Amino acid sequence: MTAKAKTGSSILETIKTIVYALLIAGVFRTLFFQPFWIPSGSMKETLLIGDFLFVNKMAYGYSYASCPSVRIGAVGLNIDAKDICGFLDGDNTRLMGGQPERGDVVVFRHPVNGNDFIKRLVGLPGDKIQMKNGVLFINGAPVKLEDVGQFEEVMERQGPQGSFPRCENAPVGQGAICKKSRKLETLPGGNEHIVLNITNQGMDHTGVYQVPEGHYFFMGDNRDNSSDSRLPQSAGGVGFVPFENLIGRADRIMFSSAGRSMLYFWTWRSDRFFKGIE
């Protein structure tokens, strides 16, 4: 075999290896676990900007939303899950579907724009959900709340978007301590988690939401800094989320970066490696 033929054969083998690797990665991501990087502070303190986790896709079975969306703006690549698995969309069912539990931290597709969101599931099908003076009511009963001090962070730009946190003790200058009230919230069924308060605002006082069958109601733990089911989709919120739009359950943080990129390993938070999500 000539040197030219050997070179051609080597290039072909390299291409085949890359294609096989991509296929294996695609199958793994579609069926088992999907990586997810937290871009916003809507789930503080449970999840911080820069947390990196894998979403368990086996938890709730599979639907069209289980197929990955690939969006790389720099090269104009925009492949949506519906482009691949759209034939499964429309009947709000799942293959090997498992029911989510109240209190689960769930990644789901926004019902309108298709973007991935991560929030806590607080309302099941048939539930009546309401916020009164910042307290969550489920089926007419307030959830248990216990004061547990303050959440503190430095007033500085966070994540790739470079946004500043909102503070209950505002105004706060850069480099100073930004504070939020912490409460331990206990949902029916016993799930306990921390919720944060910043101020008294409109979404602390709502009407009653009746969750339709086959749909779920989600809220962020950082209650005053979350676009979630309390806002209808027509107003830029999430509204009620169909069962088929669930992608998976977030169970554990793999690592966390406090810098502008997860590649800045010197900014990784040592206390969040393999941290369980409650």
Side-chain angles (χ1 to χ4, degrees):
M1 182 179 294
T2 65
K4 186 176 181 179
K6 288 183 178 180
T7 301
S9 177
S10 177
I11 294 174
L12 180 60
E13 289 301 315
T14 300
I15 293 174
K16 288 168 63 176
T17 299
I18 293 173
V19 170
Y20 291 151
L22 291 174
L23 287 173
I24 293 171
V27 170
F28 184 86
R29 178 174 175 177
T30 298
L31 297 180
F32 303 113
F33 297 97
Q34 175 175 320
F36 193 85
W37 191 46
I38 304 300
S40 74
S42 69
M43 282 294 292
K44 290 178 181 175
E45 69 181 47
T46 304
L47 298 171
L48 303 180
I49 296 175
D51 282 350
F52 181 83
L53 50 89
F54 283 99
V55 179
N56 180 0
K57 288 191 168 185
M58 297 176 285
Y60 310 133
Y62 304 96
S63 71
Y64 86 95
S66 302
C67 286
S69 296
V70 182
R71 297 185 175 96
I72 306 176
V75 297
L77 184 62
N78 186 8
I79 301 175
D80 189 79
K82 285 189 176 182
D83 297 330
I84 305 171
C85 297
F87 64 94
L88 298 173
D89 182 25
D91 57 2
N92 201 25
T93 60
R94 306 182 72 87
L95 179 65
M96 297 184 291
Q99 294 297 319
E101 298 181 2
R102 195 191 314 274
D104 285 356
V105 176
V106 180
V107 174
F108 58 89
R109 278 177 58 92
H110 189 284
V112 175
N113 60 38
N115 291 332
D116 291 349
F117 276 59
I118 184 166
K119 306 289 180 184
R120 189 176 299 276
L121 194 161
V122 300
L124 301 174
D127 281 346
K128 293 181 179 179
I129 305 295
Q130 186 176 20
M131 292 293 291
K132 296 182 181 180
N133 298 316
V135 178
L136 173 63
F137 280 67
I138 300 178
N139 296 322
V143 300
K144 179 183 176 182
L145 285 175
E146 178 184 351
D147 290 323
V148 284
Q150 292 183 320
F151 173 78
E152 298 184 352
E153 58 187 337
V154 177
M155 171 56 78
E156 61 184 2
R157 295 189 180 277
Q158 298 179 346
Q161 299 175 355
S163 57
F164 287 102
R166 294 178 62 202
C167 313
E168 189 174 19
N169 60 326
V172 176
Q174 289 194 48
I177 298 299
C178 172
K179 299 180 180 180
K180 302 174 181 63
S181 296
R182 300 171 74 242
K183 293 182 184 294
L184 180 66
E185 181 177 82
T186 304
L187 298 177
N191 178 275
E192 294 182 340
H193 53 273
I194 297 295
V195 295
L196 303 181
N197 179 73
I198 301 171
T199 186
N200 184 4
Q201 59 186 40
M203 288 199 297
D204 291 328
H205 317 273
T206 73
V208 176
Y209 304 92
Q210 177 81 49
V211 185
E213 288 301 316
H215 292 71
Y216 296 89
F217 193 98
F218 291 92
M219 293 175 63
D221 291 348
N222 191 2
R223 291 286 162 80
D224 294 331
N225 196 44
S226 174
S227 175
D228 50 40
S229 291
R230 291 171 291 176
L231 274 179
Q233 297 157 12
S234 60
V238 170
F240 303 120
V241 179
F243 185 37
E244 66 180 352
N245 281 47
L246 307 188
I247 294 175
R249 185 181 64 217
D251 293 329
R252 189 170 298 276
I253 299 164
M254 304 307 295
F255 67 89
S256 180
S257 172
R260 301 294 294 272
S261 169
M262 65 179 179
L263 300 178
Y264 296 170
F265 63 88
W266 57 90
T267 67
W268 288 3
R269 301 176 176 107
S270 60
D271 61 333
R272 298 183 72 79
F273 284 102
F274 309 111
K275 179 179 175 64
I277 297 172
E278 299 179 352

